[in-house]
Amino acid sequence: MAHIISLVNQKGGVGKTTSAINIAVNLAILEEKTLLIDLDPQANATTGVADLYEKQKNTVYDVLIKKIPVKECIVKTQIEHFHLLPSSNDLVGAEIELVSMIAREYQLQKILNELKLDYRFIIIDCPPSLGLLTINALAASNLIIIPIQCEYYALEGLGQLLNTVRLVQKHINSSLKINGVLLTMYDARLNLSKEVSNEVRSYFKNKIFKNVINRNVRLSEAPSFGKPAIMYDANSTGAKNYMQLVEEIIDRVK
């Protein structure tokens, strides 16, 4: 049975997509059969691994709205245990089109019920909003990871996010839990990073992952080549950070 993990934060630029890509790929490298779902209309997770697969016509939009069977839309990649359900900018209209559907919050959950036995992990990259697409992801997931950047206003908007999670737990998906809070863009040379880290740790306590993601140029460069960090530069700090994180994630779900 798959662990379905959504990466969610309504703020952009927190390392959510970078984390989704690198967590999913590293899980696959550790021989955990993994599906990455790009649920963001910006499709950055799709382009971030573009070097690993041959493009195809169908996307997550076609599954959600046009009801094309999900297994016809999943693409295999060069990495044996890593599959992708890609996105496109067609998904922009999905929020509106979902509104008129019966059980609109459960559309993704129904789709993933077909895949739970096919994968060990399903990683969902959510859009930077708390709209219907994100609600669908939370309804379908059993775990969430919240990436938080170590910069000013790191905790801004988190109250709204946590309130949304509580509402989903109460009314839609009682089994949803926070797997962990991930500190990204950490720079040990800056007092600001240390201050934000201390503030977040005091707020979330044992929910914080022990491993943090350091600010790293190679990590920022990798998506422009359509590769995850480990395939762009396996010796980079970012690649090593994500592999350590993935080992921690696996420990937490045992």
Side-chain angles (χ1 to χ4, degrees):
M1 190 72 76
H3 297 289
I4 304 175
I5 305 176
S6 282
L7 279 90
V8 58
N9 192 327
Q10 77 269 34
K11 287 183 69 176
V14 300
K16 179 176 53 61
T17 297
T18 297
S19 297
I21 290 171
N22 287 286
I23 288 169
V25 168
N26 285 359
L27 282 165
I29 286 170
L30 293 176
E31 299 188 348
E32 301 281 6
K33 194 165 184 188
T34 303
L35 171 67
L36 173 61
I37 298 176
D38 188 352
L39 204 61
D40 187 344
Q42 296 176 79
N44 289 334
T46 300
T47 57
V49 293
D51 191 57
L52 304 183
Y53 69 96
E54 292 184 12
K55 290 185 177 65
Q56 67 158 31
K57 179 182 174 184
N58 293 333
T59 68
V60 67
Y61 172 82
D62 299 295
V63 182
L64 278 171
I65 305 301
K66 295 184 179 179
K67 305 305 179 187
I68 292 176
V70 65
K71 293 185 181 181
E72 293 180 19
C73 302
I74 291 170
V75 293
K76 295 180 179 179
T77 73
Q78 294 172 19
I79 301 170
E80 183 181 358
H81 298 289
F82 174 57
H83 294 171
L84 172 72
L85 181 53
S87 182
S88 70
N89 58 13
D90 289 342
L91 201 58
V92 170
E95 295 267 0
I96 297 167
E97 292 172 274
L98 281 167
V99 168
S100 60
M101 289 188 185
I102 296 169
R104 59 194 180 191
E105 297 92 350
Y106 298 100
Q107 296 304 306
L108 185 62
Q109 183 190 72
K110 287 192 289 185
I111 291 161
L112 297 193
N113 282 340
E114 300 175 38
L115 303 174
K116 283 183 176 180
L117 298 178
D118 296 338
Y119 296 95
R120 172 74 170 148
F121 287 92
I122 297 174
I123 306 297
I124 306 173
D125 184 33
C126 295
S129 70
L130 296 176
L132 259 179
L133 288 172
T134 298
I135 298 301
N136 262 266
L138 295 179
S141 300
N142 57 306
L143 298 167
I144 63 171
I145 291 174
I146 304 172
I148 297 176
Q149 83 282 32
C150 294
E151 296 182 355
Y152 283 116
Y153 308 123
L155 296 175
E156 188 180 67
L158 268 184
Q160 184 184 1
L161 170 59
L162 294 173
N163 187 51
T164 299
V165 170
R166 281 191 289 269
L167 288 171
V168 169
Q169 289 169 327
K170 183 176 180 182
H171 299 290
I172 298 174
N173 180 5
S174 60
S175 64
L176 183 66
K177 294 187 174 89
I178 296 175
N179 181 243
V181 176
L182 175 63
L183 293 170
T184 64
M185 304 177 200
Y186 184 84
D187 190 336
R189 298 168 300 177
L190 301 178
N191 285 333
L192 175 61
S193 282
K194 294 172 184 174
E195 289 167 9
V196 171
S197 174
N198 290 336
E199 187 177 4
V200 173
R201 287 178 193 282
S202 68
Y203 189 82
F204 285 102
K205 298 182 172 56
N206 63 342
K207 290 291 184 187
I208 300 283
F209 285 110
K210 292 173 187 172
N211 291 288
V212 302
I213 308 303
N214 291 281
R215 187 176 288 280
N216 178 239
V217 173
R218 306 297 274 173
L219 200 55
S220 304
E221 291 173 348
S224 64
F225 291 88
K227 294 180 179 181
I230 199 165
M231 296 186 74
Y232 180 63
D233 184 353
N235 292 317
S236 66
T237 301
K240 291 175 181 176
N241 287 163
Y242 275 111
M243 185 53 79
Q244 290 163 346
L245 171 67
V246 161
E247 290 168 353
E248 188 177 352
I249 290 170
I250 292 171
D251 281 343
R252 287 194 177 200
V253 299
K254 280 180 180 175

